[in-house]
Every structure is written in C-alpha cells, then in structure tokens.
Amino acid sequence: MDQNSLRKLVEGQLLRLEGNAFQDCMDRLGLELYPCDYQPVRAAGPKGDTKNDGYCPKARVFFAAHATRGERIDKTKAKIRGDLEGCLQEHRDVKVWRFLTNDTLPGEVDQFIDNELRARYGGVTIEVWGIKTLADEISKLKRVQVDRIIDVVTVDKPELEVVILSHMKTGRDLWPILSGSLGWLEHDEPDDCTDEEQDLIDGAVQTFRDWSDISGEVQVSRSSVRDAQRNITAILEELAEKGFALYSAMKDSYPFTGGPSPFLGTVAIFRITRVDPATPTSR
C-alpha cells in the first residue's frame, strides 16, 4: 500500500470513530508520538478529567480529543473554549494545548480560535489537529505503529475477484472513478515501454492519483469539476497519440485492513494497454 492509499485508509478509519473510541485512538497516537512522556487521562471522581484528555508532563503538551463530526458550530466553540480555559485553570505551565478532532473545523470555528482564543492566551501555543492533519501525522509513522493506532492489521495483497474494465476516453468517463475511490491498486502497463513512454505513463498515473486525492475539494464546485475533467481528457488524448489506451474500473468492498472487522472501501484499478490506432478500443 502506497503512502496516499495509507493516508486515505487512516482518514476513513478516523471518520468511523465516536466518543470514547476516538479518545482511545488519540491515546494510542500520543503513546506513539511521545513514547516516554505521554500519559492518558480519564474522568474519575467529582473533578472529572480536569479538562485534560492526555498530556506530556515533561514537554508540557496537553490534549483535548473530541469527535466533532456533525456537531453544531456553537457547541463545538463552547467545547473548545471550556476545555482550553479549564485546562489552564487546572494545570501549570501549559506550553502547548492541542485540540484533536475527526472532522475539518468550519471556518467560523477556526476564526474563533485564531481571533479570540489565541489573542487572549498568547503564552500558550494553541493547535488544532483536524482529520487531515491527524491522517498525515499517523501515516508518516512506521506501518506497525499505524496499525496500533487505528487498531487494525493491514493487508497488502488481498485476494480479488474478476473486475471488468472499461475504456476511458474522456475525463468525464474517468472522474467518477477517481472521485469515488479511497485508494487504488498498482496499475498494469506494457512491459516493452521505452524510457519516454514510461515517463508519459508514470506522469499520467500520478496526475490521476493527485486528482483523486483532492477530488473532495474539487467536488464543491461544478466548474472545478469540469476543469479537472478537461485536464484528464488532455492526458488521455496524449496517451492515445502515443498509442496507449487506459482501461479502468472501481472495486467495491476492498479490504484495506485485516482482522475480524476489516475496513472496507472502494479502490480504483488502472490498466494501460498498447493499441493499434486503426483498431477500435471500445469493449
């Protein structure tokens, strides 16, 4: 599994977590990032968790883990303010206060943190690790650490059923596959490519993967989607000019992880073949 697929896997797994399950996952992350310092904390007694879900006594880094997916903006703002101010009241020498969430905070919440909280508490570094940052930080770690954090065992080569591929002639053909996949399998290509042809194929596949990675951001605008599709069409036309055709499909319920409860998702499959320009390539 390549880095981009791993990051998407981690992001998908984080999205599934709620409540204590998310806090437990963040504890495992803290233990991997600060193996000789991090201490998990849980509520106990009349004072609860003293507004501290976990901390590093030596580094003086304090964590607040909260699954905000689908939560109202006013509730999220109140939660962040309460946890930060409670932590500063209960604990000495707080150098970094880090809010961890399995969502991307709305602009209004981000603005509230920057304009109000950071301005008021200038002596503390206030950080927000949303789902993108968490996925990036986790996927940078060694595979065995990633498995411990998201509580799965990854599988590199699961057995696959037969999938019928279709000829992709335009970006409009390929876009649903790129935007609907969490990852992709290693692409298939001719064995007799020249260096120039190999560079062309590698560049095309990398561009397709890049579009897949940012497809969620692109989808918010119809004009952005059309721009993406035009870019992909130009690449497919360049491949065709050099005598290549791209066949692709999606595979559902692909097991990104092993274990008794695997994480299933959709993957893209690419096959690039050499074609005779005089021969129809439709299937």
Side-chain angles (χ1 to χ4, degrees), residues 17-261:
L17 301 177
E18 297 182 1
N20 289 335
F22 180 66
Q23 288 197 8
D24 290 342
C25 180
M26 294 301 95
D27 279 336
R28 295 192 293 270
L29 172 61
L31 290 168
E32 296 298 333
L33 293 179
Y34 305 94
C36 299
D37 197 2
Y38 182 80
Q39 293 187 15
V41 176
R42 284 295 178 268
K47 296 191 70 175
D49 59 7
T50 65
K51 297 301 180 180
N52 171 25
D53 293 328
Y55 76 118
C56 300
K58 299 175 185 176
R60 307 308 295 173
V61 180
F62 289 74
F63 297 83
H66 182 56
T68 61
R69 182 165 51 86
E71 189 176 72
R72 295 197 322 267
I73 288 177
D74 59 340
K75 185 176 179 180
T76 300
K77 289 165 67 174
K79 172 67 175 175
I80 293 173
R81 181 193 292 276
D83 281 359
L84 171 62
E85 294 180 346
C87 179
L88 296 178
Q89 290 173 6
E90 296 284 348
H91 301 279
R92 63 175 178 82
D93 192 24
V94 178
K95 293 183 178 179
V96 177
W97 186 81
R98 187 172 293 156
F99 184 76
L100 311 174
T101 173
N102 65 341
D103 200 355
T104 298
L105 293 183
E108 182 179 335
V109 176
D110 188 68
Q111 187 179 46
F112 162 73
I113 293 170
D114 194 44
N115 291 346
E116 295 191 32
L117 298 184
R118 289 192 178 109
R120 179 174 298 180
Y121 303 104
V124 180
T125 299
I126 300 173
E127 298 179 354
V128 175
W129 284 19
I131 188 166
K132 297 291 186 184
T133 301
L134 284 172
D136 284 342
E137 292 296 326
I138 293 172
S139 61
K140 290 176 186 175
L141 300 173
K142 295 179 180 179
R143 180 64 64 84
V144 64
Q145 293 176 291
V146 174
D147 292 346
R148 283 198 293 263
I149 292 167
I150 62 175
D151 198 24
V152 296
V153 178
T154 57
V155 176
D156 283 326
K157 295 182 179 179
E159 186 175 344
L160 289 178
E161 63 190 57
V162 174
V163 177
I164 298 175
L165 307 182
S166 299
H167 181 211
M168 300 290 111
K169 298 179 181 179
T170 68
R172 193 169 183 176
D173 297 333
L174 186 56
W175 183 253
I177 294 175
L178 298 182
S179 60
S181 301
L182 287 176
W184 44 83
L185 301 185
E186 193 64 32
H187 69 278
D188 184 42
E189 63 184 39
D191 295 327
D192 58 347
C193 292
T194 65
D195 289 343
E196 181 181 0
E197 291 173 334
Q198 190 67 67
D199 289 341
L200 174 64
I201 291 173
D202 290 346
V205 172
Q206 185 59 56
T207 301
F208 298 151
R209 291 181 172 185
D210 291 343
W211 278 120
S212 179
D213 283 343
I214 65 172
S215 59
E217 303 167 23
V218 174
Q219 294 276 52
V220 300
S221 167
R222 292 179 62 185
S223 63
S224 296
V225 172
R226 288 195 296 272
D227 287 341
Q229 291 174 347
R230 283 192 287 266
N231 175 271
I232 294 166
T233 296
I235 295 171
L236 293 172
E237 289 174 348
E238 185 178 5
L239 286 171
E241 289 174 0
K242 299 297 183 180
F244 294 103
L246 173 71
Y247 291 85
S248 186
M250 289 191 292
K251 170 68 176 73
D252 296 324
S253 300
Y254 177 89
F256 283 96
T257 66
S261 181

